[in-house]
Amino acid sequence: MRPVMRCARAARRGAGRGNWPRELAARRPFPSASALIDAGTSLLDGMTDAELVEVISRHDPIGIDPGEDRLTGRWSRQEQSGVLDGDAAVRAEFAELNRRYRERFGYVYLVCAAGRSAAGIRDDLVRRLRQDEEGELRTARAELRGIVELRLGRILEAVR
């Protein structure tokens, strides 16, 4: 089986987010890795705001250990290690900021955390708390797009 086809199957198993993995798999075959990533991001770009909020709401809040029991949990743990490996004060600060964010916007603060420090993520969260709802939804969509690109790339690496 070609790697990009195996990747679509892995995305279906690993993502588990609403209809997105099923819709992505239905677009097979992908002639290249970039075609797979383009298909994944175009599905995201085509989501309504309500669908986007549903997908975002299924993510674990930043700073909450997602565990190691599923592939995406392991990836999430690696991506946000800068926060998860922080001391109790850092985790408490994120818990409070997450609470304020959810209260303000009604969904989980989502950030493509890979390679970012706890301080950088905290500063981003504080900045985003000041955005209006429309601007924040645009930002959250862009962050989810980054996560989709990163994770589809990881899936491709894993099946090669």
Side-chain angles (χ1 to χ4, degrees):
M1 178 184 316
R2 295 180 50 202
V4 289
M5 292 176 71
R6 289 195 313 264
C7 182
R9 287 190 179 152
R12 209 174 32 215
R13 287 190 314 270
R17 304 280 192 236
N19 291 328
W20 184 88
R22 208 173 0 260
E23 291 176 33
L24 180 62
R27 292 185 175 197
R28 290 177 299 172
F30 301 104
S32 66
S34 63
L36 170 66
I37 292 171
D38 289 346
T41 56
S42 75
L43 282 169
L44 168 65
D45 293 343
M47 287 181 185
T48 66
D49 289 349
E51 291 168 332
L52 179 68
V53 167
E54 179 186 343
V55 169
I56 291 171
S57 295
R58 293 175 187 228
H59 281 78
D60 297 310
I62 193 88
I64 303 297
D65 193 334
E68 299 276 334
D69 62 332
R70 65 187 199 281
L71 181 61
T72 55
R74 288 191 298 274
W75 287 342
S76 182
R77 174 97 183 62
Q78 292 168 351
E79 293 160 6
Q80 59 174 304
S81 63
V83 174
L84 293 172
D85 295 342
D87 62 22
V90 168
R91 290 190 307 275
E93 181 180 19
F94 272 96
E96 173 58 21
L97 289 169
N98 279 326
R99 184 196 63 73
R100 287 177 40 208
Y101 183 95
R102 186 183 287 273
E103 186 177 281
R104 170 135 168 65
F105 295 110
Y107 52 90
V108 172
Y109 164 74
L110 188 71
V111 63
C112 186
R116 297 177 76 173
S117 69
I121 294 170
R122 181 194 60 235
D123 292 348
D124 181 66
L125 203 166
V126 169
R127 178 190 61 77
R128 287 172 56 185
L129 276 165
R130 294 190 299 264
Q131 289 200 108
D132 63 26
E133 290 180 20
E134 186 177 309
E136 179 51 26
L137 204 53
R138 271 193 314 273
T139 301
R141 186 182 297 270
E143 293 293 333
L144 184 57
R145 189 177 223 278
I147 293 168
V148 165
E149 291 171 353
L150 177 71
R151 292 189 179 174
L152 285 176
R154 284 185 172 169
I155 291 170
L156 281 169
E157 288 173 17
V159 298
R160 285 191 175 148

